[in-house]
Amino acid sequence: MLSEHKSIRHLDFKLLATVVVLMLFGLVAIYSATFVDSESDLLNFKKQIIWGILGLLVLAGTIFIPIRVLNKYAYTVYGISVFLLFAVLMIGTGAGTDRWFALGPIRIQPSELAKVGTLLVLAKYLSKENRDLNNFRELAIAFSLVFLPLLLVMKQPDLGSALVFLALILPMLHWAGLSSMVLFVLIAPLISLVCAFNYYTFLIAMLIISAVLFLSQRGLTFFLVNFVLNIGVGVVTPIMWNLMKEYQQKRILTFLGLVTDPHGLGYQVIQSKVSIGSGGFWGKGFLQGTQTQLRFLPEQHTDFIFCVIGEEFGFLGIFAIFALFFYLIFKGLTIASEVKSKFSSILVFGGVIIFLFQIVVNIGMTIGIMPVTGLPLPFLSYGGSALISNLVIVGLLLNASRKRFEYF
Amino acid sequence: MYQDLSNLKKFYMLFTLVLFAILIVRTGQLQLYQWDKYFRESEKNRIRDIILEPLRGLIFDRDGEVLVDNRPNYSVSVVPYEFLKADSAIILLSEILNLDPDDLKKKINKNKRGNFSPVKINRQIDFRVLSAIEERRLDLPGVFYNTESKRYYPGGVKASHLFGYLGEITSGELKKFKDTNYRIGDSIGKTGIELQDEEYLRGTPGVKYIEVDVLGREVRNLTGLGGVSPNPGRNLFLTIHTEIQKYLEEVMADRKGAAVVLDPRNGEVLALMSKPDYDPEIFSNPLTPETWNLLVNHENKPLYNRASQSLFPPGSTYKLVLGAAGLETGDITLEENILCTGAHRLGNRLFHCWKKTGHGEVNFLAAVEQSCNVYFWEKSRDIGLKKWSEFSRNFQFGKLTKIDLPNESPGLVPTKEYFDRKYGEKKWTRGLVLNLVVGQGDLLTTPLQMAQFAMILANEGVLCRPHLVRKIEDPLTGEVVFTKVDSIQIQGTSKKTYRTIKQGMNLVVNGVKGTAKSARIRGVTVCGKTGTAQNPHGNSHAWFIGFAPMDKPEIALCIMVENGGSGGAVAAPIAGGVLSIYFNDQKFAKIP
């Protein structure tokens, strides 16, 4: 029985095929985005093919690592990735963005390894027997495991990648068994903070928060503490905001992508919307997109790859992408809910969240409903480090699905 | 399973569905509902980002008079997509700009940031080129010109080495400033203050988005896309005393040399002059390779700042260093007389004093007054090379003054170790030391260091870092930042020694036998020291260092005329001129 589970037949080929099709889609789009004329060297396209092959080999390796081993070395991987994040800040050029290690012509982004490392370490920490997540101390440790790499990535500064870490923590806690009420108590002050800038939104937010707190029937003290805390956040936030100097406010808004900065992000979003919108239902055809071929978008082969697909392959192409992504998420969640090992379950779920977050934020940015944060689209955007780390996560999914009947 | 996760799974499936639905609906809205609009937009997509150049900061003198100002100037840019379509346009434009068509194409392809962002291809075009482009507008799609600014110098002060000049940014500089907002074709400070204070002078460029027609002409300004206004650069207020600077430039017009005038109370540079110079305005217009080659290859090296970059032997002005060392060690006393017969014997070699007949019996003060070599040679035997090197270093020779100008030279103070390295241990003789103590031989200083030395003597040991920028003003906010005056106390020399040296320097100018009588001015006690430094490249360099008034010095200076001849006859009168301008202006204007 056991040996049978280890055989290749238990590999989820449909999931693997989905990912490979997405990668091929990405290659087509990168080809189009960097194609100039028949003489162009297509360097990025060729590099991405090499990264893709390399990534699939790494994926194959990941599938066959015993879950036990992954669990055992979770802290080691995490430790190495945090060390590398420190190192990249230390030896960085100091001028602006220190995100890469340059190994000859290859540039490696340690933040990508840190995603995997953090995923492993959180899964291990949360899946430990007798873990009581409603205990404040244990919860705080879980948070610090995420915030250490998060702050280091933010320092680079790479807001997009940093947000991936932030997006990970609450859903993973939720999946690991944190009660919905504690989750709510954690989220509520954030809602109050965001809503505090307008009387009406704040009023509505407070009504909802109070209603949920009241209906939870946890007693008067619980209600009052949380109520006062949220009111406090709501009152203090605008005061703090007004005390800040204008340039500080501007810096925060720019950081959050809420105002356009001198580099012309507003221009990028306009061009991005024109690219996608002009594609229509059928698209303009491969290499026929005027926006794409005239290079309106400086980042079109990386962060704005979705525009290339939207313009040249239309709504049809985009719908296909959504279908593939949805299948990936659906399979991931299914594996996460079926797998017997708690560690694997949390691990797989975290991977799904990483994908979901990147997909929503990247596409949302290109269609103008999310701020421009500079996050690549998984499997499609040009970029070696991100592709490899995403394929490693797929490897973990496939690994877990092969052994979903084993407890360890 | 460790817990029932099917409900959680359902929750997250629903969550994903909702998010994807939002994305799909929005994409559908763009692609299906608003397709018409965006398709038309993409067909005539003629949105351009236009960089708005900031106005470079102005440079003022100490009284607030403008020395360096801006004047409008035009540059040509092309939009690659439209321009490169037609070979005829490439050929036409290269004819107008007098460029090779292939070079022009290469330049555009190398520097473009996307097909629709303009690439600047030529700065500083003259009016002839401008009108040629305007005439052939229809044949030049995608070509347009911007208004920028260029430097001009309304104050009548050339001070080319002080101001420096601007030039087009090189690929090396672009790489160096990678994360700032420099672009190809931008101007950047290349030397002098323009380079030193580039970060303040430049300002920050802005951007505007415009819609253009088929010919690349602006149809409307798309203010809704979030353009940014440029911020002008900061204005520099220098410490320069324009009248002294002008006087020095005129009086030295046909000579080579340098002069540095300092305010010893705070280190402010009142004048800094280097000759031969060039007209900085030639860099404001298209610079021909011929002019550039002439500047670079000229035997007199006009691009070199002789005040802070070039190194010279300081001659007898440097005897004061040995004097200070001797007075401190006790090897020199005021009572002792030494007989100068016109020569000093070392082994079987005779070293001649500049006065062949000899100075007779001289004490320290007389030796300074008459600049007697024999006296200092005699004393150097007791004091020794080690002490001399030590005092030289204490007086900041062989070190940078840290003036706010680029490419300063530190000079050279030889030591025993230096000679051992150069000639081998025990393979050099005391003759080298005899040369050093009278400011000859391997000793090398800049005129700036000599002026600084005059300041140290004037202040009796206090050194204020020489600086040219007094304050920096933000023209938008009016915020002003003053340069901090850094001062240090020179170690190893006592007040008493300084007073004695000052007495000697007083005699140099005001004594009966003094070598610098031409530096005297009415009503102010001037102290000084001359130098006549022999050198293998022709006539001696004429030196004068000094300060005034003796008791409460307000001005310290160094004048050096390269191959000018005798310090007393050539350099001292120029110092006299500077001092009379300074004092007549400030104190004695009312005296008839």
Side-chain angles (χ1 to χ4, degrees):
Chain A
M1 206 35 205
L2 215 92
S3 63
E4 218 178 303
H5 289 137
K6 281 187 178 165
S7 79
I8 196 91
R9 275 184 291 127
H10 285 265
L11 198 61
D12 189 335
F13 281 104
K14 276 196 238 163
L15 179 56
L16 185 59
T18 306
V19 169
V20 172
V21 171
L22 279 168
M23 282 166 68
L24 291 175
F25 234 126
L27 281 173
V28 170
I30 290 168
Y31 184 93
S32 182
T34 55
F35 176 85
V36 182
D37 52 48
S38 49
E39 288 163 33
S40 49
D41 58 2
L42 294 170
L43 190 65
N44 288 335
F45 175 71
K46 289 174 187 161
K47 269 181 165 168
Q48 187 74 354
I49 292 181
I50 294 171
W51 280 117
I53 293 169
L54 215 72
L56 288 174
L57 290 175
V58 176
L59 174 144
T62 317
I63 296 174
F64 296 102
I65 300 174
I67 296 283
R68 208 174 337 105
V69 174
L70 286 173
N71 187 303
K72 189 172 169 197
Y73 290 105
Y75 281 105
T76 316
V77 176
Y78 178 78
I80 291 171
S81 58
V82 167
F83 171 78
L84 289 177
L85 285 178
F86 263 117
V88 82
L89 285 180
M90 288 301 153
I91 65 173
T93 52
T97 49
D98 302 328
R99 299 182 185 178
W100 298 286
F101 282 118
L103 296 175
I106 305 168
R107 292 197 295 188
I108 292 176
Q109 268 181 290
S111 60
E112 291 296 335
L113 177 66
K115 276 181 206 166
V116 178
T118 309
L119 196 57
L120 283 170
V121 94
L122 259 190
K124 174 162 183 171
Y125 183 80
L126 298 177
S127 63
K128 194 165 171 271
E129 247 177 290
N130 305 325
R131 176 70 70 215
D132 179 13
L133 290 176
N134 298 321
N135 172 320
F136 178 76
R137 196 175 146 270
E138 302 199 355
L139 198 60
I141 291 174
F143 268 93
S144 13
L145 284 173
V146 175
F147 271 85
L148 179 59
L150 182 143
L151 291 174
L152 290 171
V153 173
M154 206 136 95
K155 190 93 181 46
Q156 288 180 353
D158 183 355
L159 176 65
S161 300
L163 288 178
V164 174
F165 291 93
L166 198 62
L168 211 50
I169 179 76
L170 289 180
M172 278 181 88
L173 287 169
H174 191 199
W175 194 263
L178 183 71
S179 79
S180 306
M181 203 54 225
V182 178
L183 199 67
F184 180 78
V185 167
L186 287 173
I187 296 175
L190 286 176
I191 299 173
S192 306
L193 190 140
V194 174
C195 295
F197 290 91
N198 180 302
Y199 287 118
Y200 297 103
T201 54
F202 186 62
L203 193 67
I204 292 166
M206 283 314 294
L207 280 175
I208 296 172
I209 290 169
S210 317
V212 174
L213 289 173
F214 180 74
L215 291 174
S216 74
Q217 296 182 322
R218 296 252 183 145
L220 189 63
T221 324
F222 176 81
F223 179 85
L224 280 180
V225 166
N226 277 291
F227 185 76
V228 170
L229 178 73
N230 280 290
I231 291 272
V233 169
V235 172
V236 170
T237 306
I239 295 175
M240 292 284 286
W241 181 255
N242 291 329
L243 279 178
M244 274 191 251
K245 296 252 160 52
E246 198 189 325
Y247 75 91
Q248 290 171 316
Q249 296 180 350
K250 207 170 163 189
R251 201 175 288 168
I252 290 175
L253 289 175
T254 309
F255 186 71
L256 295 173
L258 294 175
V259 294
T260 52
D261 73 354
H263 304 301
L265 295 177
Y267 173 75
Q268 274 189 26
V269 172
I270 293 270
Q271 294 297 357
S272 158
K273 286 198 313 204
V274 171
S275 293
I276 295 172
S278 67
F281 185 77
W282 299 102
K284 297 176 185 171
F286 181 50
L287 296 184
Q288 302 302 312
T290 50
Q291 292 281 109
T292 302
Q293 298 312 320
L294 299 180
R295 311 275 175 272
F296 277 103
L297 289 165
E299 303 291 339
Q300 61 179 2
H301 64 298
T302 56
D303 295 352
F304 284 90
I305 197 78
F306 192 72
C307 301
V308 177
I309 297 167
E311 188 185 17
E312 301 201 337
F313 303 100
F315 189 67
L316 222 52
I318 280 178
F319 199 82
I321 299 286
F322 274 116
L324 290 166
F325 275 139
F326 189 77
Y327 183 74
L328 173 72
I329 306 261
F330 166 74
K331 283 303 280 187
L333 287 175
T334 308
I335 296 166
S337 62
E338 285 178 357
V339 71
K340 294 261 188 298
S341 138
K342 187 174 178 182
F343 171 72
S344 294
S345 173
I346 298 175
L347 187 66
V348 167
F349 177 76
V352 169
I353 291 297
I354 288 183
F355 290 149
L356 182 64
F357 182 76
Q358 296 190 70
I359 293 164
V360 171
V361 172
N362 178 282
I363 297 180
M365 163 183 89
T366 61
I367 55 180
I369 55 174
M370 288 252 176
V372 178
T373 42
L375 207 57
L377 190 57
F379 312 113
L380 293 161
S381 286
Y382 172 78
S385 301
L387 185 60
I388 300 241
S389 77
N390 285 328
L391 287 175
V392 165
I393 295 172
V394 175
L396 295 174
L397 258 65
L398 292 170
N399 188 335
S401 103
R402 265 175 74 238
K403 301 181 189 165
R404 58 184 172 279
F405 306 113
E406 290 173 33
Y407 282 91
F408 226 129
Chain B
M1 204 164 311
Y2 62 93
Q3 70 184 85
D4 182 23
L5 290 170
S6 55
N7 279 335
L8 268 183
K9 179 193 163 186
K10 275 182 207 146
F11 173 79
Y12 280 99
M13 283 306 297
L14 192 69
F15 185 61
T16 308
L17 264 176
V18 169
L19 289 176
F20 275 34
I22 294 173
L23 296 178
I24 290 179
V25 166
R26 172 69 174 154
T27 313
Q29 187 193 7
L30 293 176
Q31 295 195 300
L32 308 177
Y33 186 66
Q34 297 179 308
W35 172 74
D36 274 3
K37 175 185 153 193
Y38 285 115
F39 187 74
R40 263 184 284 119
E41 192 77 42
S42 81
E43 285 296 285
K44 62 164 185 84
N45 199 331
R46 300 188 183 282
I47 300 171
R48 305 270 183 284
D49 53 337
I50 301 292
I51 301 300
L52 303 171
E53 303 287 345
L55 265 184
R56 200 171 173 86
L58 306 184
I59 301 178
F60 297 87
D61 74 359
R62 64 184 297 117
D63 299 319
E65 294 295 323
V66 181
L67 297 179
V68 184
D69 202 341
N70 297 312
R71 180 177 270 179
N73 178 44
Y74 299 98
S75 70
V76 187
S77 300
V78 302
V79 174
Y81 173 70
E82 286 166 350
F83 179 67
L84 294 175
K85 270 196 299 203
D87 277 343
S88 60
I90 300 173
I91 291 166
L92 181 60
L93 187 66
S94 44
E95 263 170 29
I96 295 176
L97 295 176
N98 201 8
L99 291 167
D100 181 68
D102 288 331
D103 286 351
L104 177 63
K105 235 164 127 177
K106 238 182 259 166
K107 184 166 186 179
I108 296 168
N109 279 323
K110 203 177 124 204
N111 298 323
K112 69 176 183 185
R113 307 168 294 115
N115 276 322
F116 280 86
S117 287
V119 180
K120 205 184 287 176
I121 51 174
N122 217 340
R123 299 170 48 232
Q124 302 170 339
I125 57 168
D126 56 31
F127 209 73
R128 187 189 57 78
V129 174
L130 192 69
S131 43
I133 290 173
E134 195 52 43
E135 263 169 39
R136 306 293 300 272
R137 200 131 214 11
L138 292 175
D139 304 319
L140 291 169
V143 176
F144 63 97
Y145 49 86
N146 295 70
T147 314
E148 295 172 356
S149 57
K150 62 179 180 182
R151 288 304 213 187
Y152 88 111
Y153 303 85
V157 178
K158 292 244 178 88
S160 33
H161 300 98
L162 193 70
F163 301 144
Y165 58 86
L166 298 171
E168 189 169 335
I169 192 163
T170 62
S171 48
E173 286 163 335
L174 268 177
K175 216 171 267 174
K176 191 172 138 203
F177 295 112
K178 209 174 72 191
D179 293 304
T180 56
N181 41 32
Y182 285 96
R183 286 163 195 251
I184 199 87
D186 280 353
S187 289
I188 190 168
K190 297 286 184 180
T191 59
I193 287 173
E194 298 276 19
L195 167 62
Q196 181 79 22
D197 293 305
E198 170 71 21
E199 58 171 317
Y200 300 113
L201 288 168
R202 178 161 192 249
T204 38
V207 65
K208 72 169 175 177
Y209 299 106
I210 58 164
E211 196 178 313
V212 293
D213 66 9
V214 191
L215 292 177
R217 282 183 298 220
E218 181 171 341
V219 180
R220 63 196 170 108
N221 191 351
L222 302 168
T223 43
L225 292 187
V228 180
S229 309
N231 275 343
R234 261 160 278 178
N235 294 330
L236 299 186
F237 288 79
L238 303 187
T239 56
I240 292 298
H241 188 300
T242 297
E243 258 193 89
I244 295 178
Q245 181 76 27
K246 263 190 190 163
Y247 165 77
L248 285 169
E249 285 180 13
E250 275 161 29
V251 78
M252 294 279 290
D254 302 319
R255 295 192 255 210
K256 292 186 286 177
V260 178
V261 184
L262 301 171
D263 185 335
R265 294 167 296 186
N266 47 30
E268 290 183 350
V269 177
L270 301 177
L272 188 145
M273 188 269 325
S274 169
K275 288 276 176 181
D277 57 0
Y278 53 89
D279 183 348
E281 209 143 337
I282 60 176
F283 287 96
S284 299
N285 296 309
L287 187 66
T288 62
E290 293 79 42
T291 317
W292 176 246
N293 285 335
L294 192 71
L295 283 173
V296 172
N297 298 328
H298 195 280
E299 56 167 341
N300 284 337
K301 303 225 175 300
L303 291 178
Y304 242 67
N305 184 352
R306 283 169 161 72
S308 63
Q309 281 181 286
S310 304
L311 296 169
F312 303 93
S316 299
T317 52
Y318 210 80
K319 286 174 183 163
L320 299 176
V321 173
L322 189 75
L327 288 166
E328 284 301 323
T329 56
D331 291 315
I332 290 176
T333 55
L334 289 182
E335 295 75 34
E336 187 191 9
N337 282 330
I338 279 177
L339 177 66
C340 168
T341 58
H344 174 83
R345 178 177 292 279
L346 178 77
N348 51 13
R349 270 178 77 194
L350 272 184
F351 284 75
H352 289 282
C353 192
W354 64 271
K355 195 175 176 187
K356 297 269 159 53
T357 54
H359 289 99
E361 291 264 332
V362 284
N363 66 1
F364 174 70
L365 293 178
V368 172
E369 178 183 3
Q370 301 169 43
S371 200
C372 173
N373 289 1
V374 171
Y375 180 91
F376 288 96
W377 283 332
E378 206 63 55
K379 281 295 151 195
S380 72
R381 300 193 151 192
D382 306 327
I383 299 163
L385 176 59
K386 190 160 170 277
K387 273 283 163 201
W388 176 87
S389 304
E390 183 191 316
F391 272 76
S392 293
R393 299 289 297 183
N394 282 348
F395 288 125
Q396 308 297 307
F397 290 102
K399 299 176 189 173
L400 297 175
T401 67
K402 301 205 181 101
I403 191 174
D404 42 356
L405 277 181
N407 304 320
E408 193 193 349
S409 301
L412 174 68
V413 174
T415 56
K416 179 177 177 297
E417 293 72 30
Y418 168 84
F419 285 133
D420 285 347
R421 258 203 319 275
K422 187 169 172 187
Y423 301 103
E425 251 176 273
K426 296 195 174 145
K427 291 201 175 132
W428 50 279
T429 65
R430 272 191 45 80
L432 293 175
V433 181
L434 294 189
N435 276 334
L436 291 182
V437 299
V438 296
Q440 302 275 169
D442 288 13
L443 173 69
L444 290 171
T445 62
T446 63
L448 173 63
Q449 284 174 328
M450 292 310 296
Q452 180 177 265
F453 180 46
M455 167 182 15
I456 296 169
L457 298 175
N459 287 345
E460 300 178 0
V462 177
L463 160 63
C464 301
R465 185 179 64 83
H467 58 274
L468 286 158
V469 177
R470 207 160 171 228
K471 58 178 184 182
I472 298 176
E473 177 203 63
D474 186 328
L476 285 185
T477 61
E479 191 187 318
V480 173
V481 180
F482 282 88
T483 304
K484 217 179 109 249
V485 175
D486 310 323
S487 63
I488 58 165
Q489 179 69 44
I490 300 297
Q491 299 303 309
T493 305
S494 64
K495 288 263 178 219
K496 193 173 161 229
T497 295
Y498 284 117
R499 301 248 161 87
T500 309
I501 288 173
K502 277 183 163 185
Q503 267 179 33
M505 290 176 78
N506 182 7
L507 291 173
V508 170
V509 177
N510 302 306
V512 187
K513 292 181 176 171
T515 54
K517 293 187 192 112
S518 48
R520 280 184 201 171
I521 59 165
R522 202 155 42 108
V524 182
T525 315
V526 179
C527 292
K529 181 74 193 81
T530 56
T532 307
Q534 291 154 12
N535 71 92
H537 310 293
N539 254 343
S540 301
H541 302 322
W543 285 90
F544 179 85
I545 64 169
F547 55 84
M550 184 176 178
D551 297 325
K552 279 197 167 148
E554 294 174 20
I555 180 167
L557 50 76
C558 164
I559 310 285
M560 193 277 300
V561 184
E562 200 175 326
N563 308 121
S566 132
V570 178
I574 298 175
V578 170
L579 294 169
S580 64
I581 290 176
Y582 182 83
F583 288 106
N584 286 339
D585 268 3
Q586 295 214 336
K587 283 190 179 165
F588 305 102
K590 287 181 205 110
I591 295 174

